[in-house]
Amino acid sequence: EYIPVDETVRCDDGVYVFCATYNASWMYSFLETQNYDTYEMMNQWRDLSDKYYLWTYCVFFRDYMLPLNSFNSMADNYKFFKQCNADYLFNQGQHNQNGASTGWSDLKNYLGYKLAWNVNLDINELIDDYFENVYREAAPAMRDYFESFCTWTQTMVDEMGIDYRCNIDITNSVYWPKNIVAEWKADIDEAVDAIAEDKLSDPELYESLYNHIRLERISVDYMLLKYYANSLDNASELAKEFKSDCTKFGMSNASEQNSINSLYTQFDY
């Protein structure tokens, strides 16, 4: 039980706590020791108002193109939010991004919506459902990319000592090795090939599937161009693909502070 130091610190009627978890490590739930300080802070503030609002994060603010892995912690976190009797949750992603967001943002949104309604749902079953229905024939290849991404980010934490917070600088190429990113690109290409027959048999379905793949391709193309363009034979073609995909989805921002146009200038090969 958390008891206020004095009754005068409790919020007046109609005034509520909005608790921001900015310093949390998103590879771990709030119930794990890596987030003990945030866990304590959230519980302490919880007792100071009749309603309790939570502000969480699922993005690297310094670079919207680089995906943040918060999938390991989502299920336990939503159960904890319910335990806190939270009345409102704002899970901040690419908040000022016009159009769609890359970096598995759609998957995060889907899981967040589902878990907000029922925290006891099996997150692995939800992920299976998402891939089967969003990617159809391309699901195996896209799932390979996703699982590899999750495995690699765990390696970043376990072996490279990354403090996995939304405000860290994750832009160094050492965190995104060429061989790993090239595997992800191969998965994306395989996914596109897997839906090729739909282009003639069901053009509308093909367009939907292809657009979902293109959205995740943006992040992978970005990493190849940002870190390894000088060693690519197809850098110019890749830059055109990147710009075309970003334009398709109306993307406006490369980061919280920088326009997507800065990347078009940088990738002008």
Side-chain angles (χ1 to χ4, degrees):
E1 183 180 2
Y2 295 85
I3 301 174
V5 294
D6 190 277
E7 286 301 307
T8 60
V9 303
R10 290 189 182 276
C11 297
D12 292 335
D13 291 343
V15 179
Y16 310 124
V17 169
F18 204 151
C19 184
T21 57
Y22 190 67
N23 289 318
S25 179
W26 297 103
M27 286 291 286
Y28 304 99
S29 78
F30 295 118
L31 304 177
E32 297 179 81
T33 56
Q34 291 84 353
N35 280 320
Y36 177 78
D37 289 344
T38 302
Y39 171 85
E40 285 286 285
M41 179 269 293
M42 293 171 73
N43 278 304
Q44 290 164 0
W45 279 105
R46 175 65 190 93
D47 288 341
L48 298 184
S49 66
D50 293 332
K51 290 187 177 181
Y52 190 45
Y53 297 169
L54 288 175
W55 191 328
T56 59
Y57 305 88
C58 60
V59 65
F60 289 125
F61 289 108
R62 299 189 188 202
D63 198 323
Y64 284 173
M65 300 295 111
L66 298 175
L68 181 146
N69 180 5
S70 57
F71 300 103
N72 292 358
S73 60
M74 286 188 75
D76 286 341
N77 278 347
Y78 274 76
K79 290 175 182 176
F80 177 55
F81 300 156
K82 182 178 181 181
Q83 179 184 324
C84 290
N85 294 317
D87 298 279
Y88 174 82
L89 171 66
F90 173 46
N91 188 26
Q92 183 175 346
Q94 299 178 26
H95 63 101
N96 58 343
Q97 181 73 273
N98 292 337
S101 302
T102 189
W104 298 114
S105 294
D106 279 0
L107 175 57
K108 290 176 189 174
N109 289 336
Y110 171 76
L111 296 175
Y113 294 147
K114 288 290 189 179
L115 292 172
W117 283 106
N118 183 354
V119 300
N120 295 314
L121 292 175
D122 187 315
I123 192 170
N124 293 315
E125 292 181 1
L126 291 176
I127 292 173
D128 290 342
D129 179 71
Y130 180 89
F131 278 87
E132 289 171 8
N133 288 282
V134 169
Y135 297 114
R136 301 284 188 97
E137 300 96 328
M142 294 302 291
R143 189 62 181 264
D144 283 348
Y145 166 31
F146 175 71
E147 295 293 347
S148 176
F149 160 71
C150 291
T151 299
W152 173 247
T153 49
Q154 189 66 57
T155 299
M156 291 166 63
V157 172
D158 294 342
E159 298 182 14
M160 304 175 76
I162 296 297
D163 189 13
Y164 208 79
R165 305 174 192 273
C166 63
N167 55 355
I168 65 170
D169 185 356
I170 200 78
T171 58
N172 193 300
S173 62
V174 69
Y175 303 132
W176 311 102
K178 185 178 180 181
N179 64 312
I180 298 292
V181 180
E183 288 178 7
W184 298 345
K185 179 62 172 176
D187 290 333
I188 294 288
D189 291 342
E190 182 180 341
V192 174
D193 290 342
I195 62 171
E197 292 185 4
D198 293 326
K199 194 170 187 177
L200 293 177
S201 62
D202 193 337
E204 186 175 349
L205 173 62
Y206 175 83
E207 184 71 11
S208 175
L209 297 174
Y210 182 52
N211 284 337
H212 284 296
I213 296 169
R214 289 178 75 183
L215 184 58
E216 302 310 329
R217 182 169 69 185
I218 290 172
S219 180
V220 177
D221 283 355
Y222 167 78
M223 286 182 260
L224 288 171
L225 289 166
K226 180 177 177 65
Y227 301 120
Y228 306 109
N230 292 336
S231 63
L232 298 176
D233 295 331
N234 64 336
S236 179
E237 177 185 339
L238 207 62
K240 291 176 182 177
E241 180 177 86
F242 174 80
K243 184 174 182 179
S244 174
D245 289 346
C246 291
T247 302
K248 166 66 179 178
F249 298 109
M251 299 180 74
S252 59
N253 282 61
S255 67
E256 188 173 39
Q257 301 296 329
N258 297 311
S259 166
I260 195 74
N261 291 324
S262 63
L263 297 182
Y264 299 156
T265 301
Q266 181 181 346
F267 299 156
D268 185 19
Y269 300 112

